[in-house]
Amino acid sequence: GYNIQERDRVKRRKHMKNVMTKVLLILNELNDLEDNNLILLLQKNYHRLKLRRHLVSKQRRCRQRKSWNDFQSKLTDRQFRRYFRMHRDCFDFLCHRIKENVGEDEFKSESFLRHLVDDDK
């Protein structure tokens, strides 16, 4: 037989299937009764939401991205180890090995990116 978790999972699936069936039936009835009104309501809500998101996006503050050096220099050795699960020296060595294997174009170190930005100016 089933274990308790599997039985509960089957019950939840059956319940969700019943709920979804009822929702589909209600939507089908709404579709038959007020197809145009429902479409207009959905379009109105969609455009209202789109406008709200647009207005919120205009209010966002632009922030300058912190450089890796600024970020990691403010971490204590203990914090660094907790974030990255290795010491700084090990992390630097790992980055160096990755850069050797995949190349600077793929690794994109901070100095490489800064050099690209300076070249574009």
Side-chain angles (χ1 to χ4, degrees), residues 26-37:
I26 291 170
L27 287 175
N28 193 29
E29 288 176 16
L30 282 173
N31 189 32
D32 291 343
L33 297 174
E34 300 179 5
D35 193 24
N36 289 336
N37 289 339

Side-chain angles (χ1 to χ4, degrees), residues 78-93:
R78 185 174 182 189
Q79 288 172 323
F80 190 93
R81 176 122 169 83
R82 288 188 74 190
Y83 275 158
F84 302 106
R85 305 216 181 245
M86 61 184 83
H87 296 287
R88 290 177 200 266
D89 294 338
C90 184
F91 187 86
D92 290 339
F93 178 73

Side-chain angles (χ1 to χ4, degrees), residues 87-112:
H87 296 287
R88 290 177 200 266
D89 294 338
C90 184
F91 187 86
D92 290 339
F93 178 73
L94 178 64
C95 290
H96 177 73
R97 293 290 304 268
I98 292 171
K99 188 170 30 174
E100 283 180 347
N101 286 309
V102 301
E104 186 79 30
D105 288 344
E106 288 296 316
F107 184 73
K108 293 182 177 48
S109 68
E110 191 170 284
S111 59
F112 176 79

